[in-house]
Amino acid sequence: MWRTGRVLAGLAIALFLLLAPSATAAAAWADQAAPVVAQQPTPNPPPQDEDSLTERQRMAIGTTGVVLIGLVLVSRKIRKLPVFFVKRKK
């Protein structure tokens, strides 16, 4: 049981590190270091939603979830436990 938990936790951490957007921090520093040019303010700036995720981030989150659920179901099948938490009577 502990070994399965460790494997699942390791896989989740590895997927997070592989699929995490690493360029976000570098882009923030690049924006601060760029020179500022005086411009006329726009009358109606477009609204920017900071909480929205990109399509790639959504796909990565969904894929990670599906993989983790699949691993849990496969590990239960290997340990010969009921996969969907209900026992069928034959």
Side-chain angles (χ1 to χ4, degrees), residues 2-48:
W2 285 100
R3 190 177 348 178
T4 305
R6 287 181 189 164
V7 169
L8 290 175
L11 182 64
I13 291 170
L15 285 173
F16 175 75
L17 292 175
L18 287 174
L19 300 175
S22 60
T24 308
W29 283 102
D31 289 342
Q32 293 176 358
V36 177
V37 179
Q39 295 179 350
Q40 294 287 339
T42 57
N44 293 325
Q48 293 185 0

Side-chain angles (χ1 to χ4, degrees), residues 50-65:
E50 296 177 6
D51 294 336
S52 66
L53 298 173
T54 64
E55 187 65 29
R56 185 173 181 202
Q57 289 173 333
R58 288 182 184 180
M59 183 65 74
I61 291 170
T63 303
T64 304

Side-chain angles (χ1 to χ4, degrees), residues 14 22 28 70 85 89:
S22 60
F85 307 104
K89 294 182 180 180

